[in-house]
Amino acid sequence: MVSPVATLNSGYTIPLIGLGTWQSKPGEVKAAVVAAVNAGYRHIDCAEKYGNEKEVGEAFAEIFAAGIVKREDLFVTSKLWNAHHDEVEKMLLKSLTDLGLRYLDLYLVHWPVNTVKEEPRMKPLPASSPQPSLTDVWSAMIDVQQKKLVRSIGVSNYSISKLKQLEGMAVRPAVNQVELHPLCRQDKLLAYCSSVGIHCTAFSPLGTPGSEWLLGPNVKAVLESDVVKTVAAKTKRSPAQVVLRWGIQRGTSVIPKSISAERIASNFQMCDSPLSEEDMQQLNAIEPQVRMNPGRSWVMAEGWYPSHQSLFDDDDPTMLPLPP
């Protein structure tokens, strides 16, 4: 089976099923990447902040040496971390070195947030501090694309308002990678991106299994939803396969994370046939809606984003209030 693809506004294609590497621990991610490529994945999502790009690079070296795929067969993404908005090319080159690649297929601004460089606190810069603006950072992203270090450029966790700040610049983002799953549909944001030719990639497309406590005591986890389970039983799929297929049919790419070769292969198999319109309508009506990754670390009274609303700009005012 071959992953379906979408054509980005840069002219390149992105496979709609990819492997996420967030929270994959050292000693685990290399085997996961090798298993994914052997299972048919051609899209690998990485980030400098994940701390595992060197091991992902070891997997690529092994895969290329074995002749499983060529470099041009893969679509590889990395991301610019918040503390390095003034060092776009330097950090891109670091990711390329760690990954053992000459170019990236996609480079994203990880968050519309600047943080102090002293980790691990990740404290946002105070609102009074000078910082590269969103447009300044985007100009630097355009520059590395023009140098052919990356084929396509995009953003992550950007609201409609923040995307509009980039309108009129020489290059429009090719991708906006955001949290998307049946409990966080973000219909308004998805519709806007579609209207202006920005592809959306869904991170945490399964709702981050193992982190259900983030939803609060009164909300069922994505894979425990009665609707998801009903559709899974009806279509003889796993709940994960249902949710991933739903994401692809909405026009997004999905990047589920797993270190289990069996689950990696199972997730890929959801591509085989579409869900019915009735199934899609039921999945599109699940309530309530709530973010599992609300960017709490970036919301601070003295920071650039003093409230959750200022970070996400109320793109979806129906979203549940954050649990304490």
Side-chain angles (χ1 to χ4, degrees), residues 18 22 52 55 65 79 84 104 109-110 154 162 218 220 226 250 256 281:
W22 179 46
N52 56 16
E55 191 171 329
K79 307 177 189 75
H84 303 290
L104 287 178
V109 182
H110 209 146
K162 291 174 178 60
N218 301 316
K220 283 189 175 182
D226 293 338
R250 295 179 86 214
Q281 288 176 349

Side-chain angles (χ1 to χ4, degrees), residues 299-300 305-312:
V299 175
M300 186 176 295
Y305 300 112
S307 68
H308 175 262
Q309 288 72 26
S310 63
L311 176 57
F312 291 105

Side-chain angles (χ1 to χ4, degrees), residues 22 50 79-82 108-113 134 154-163 175-180 184 186 189 193 199-204 291-296 298 305 308 310-313 315:
W22 179 46
Y50 299 166
K79 307 177 189 75
L80 173 72
W81 184 241
N82 308 344
L108 305 177
V109 182
H110 209 146
W111 284 87
V113 175
L134 297 186
V155 296
S156 183
N157 299 294
Y158 272 49
S159 66
I160 294 172
S161 174
K162 291 174 178 60
L163 290 170
V175 171
N176 187 18
Q177 185 179 124
V178 294
E179 180 181 354
L180 292 169
C184 186
Q186 302 213 63
L189 176 62
C193 288
H199 175 79
C200 284
T201 293
F203 74 71
S204 298
R291 297 180 193 275
M292 295 190 70
N293 192 343
R296 281 190 185 87
W298 323 132
Y305 300 112
H308 175 262
S310 63
L311 176 57
F312 291 105
D313 298 305
D315 274 359

Side-chain angles (χ1 to χ4, degrees), residues 8 36 74 91 100 164 177 219:
L8 303 177
L74 293 184
M91 299 312 296
K164 286 183 175 180
Q177 185 179 124
V219 182

Side-chain angles (χ1 to χ4, degrees), residues 245-262:
R245 182 69 215 188
W246 169 85
I248 283 182
Q249 284 185 224
R250 295 179 86 214
T252 72
S253 46
V254 294
I255 47 170
K257 172 259 178 184
S258 180
I259 59 170
S260 161
E262 181 179 355

Side-chain angles (χ1 to χ4, degrees), residues 227-228 230-232 234-235 237 242 246 249 274-286:
V227 174
V228 171
T230 297
V231 174
K234 173 184 172 183
T235 60
R237 285 178 163 99
V242 166
W246 169 85
Q249 284 185 224
L275 296 169
S276 70
E277 183 176 348
E278 178 185 4
D279 293 336
M280 289 295 292
Q281 288 176 349
Q282 291 178 349
L283 292 163
N284 285 333
I286 294 174

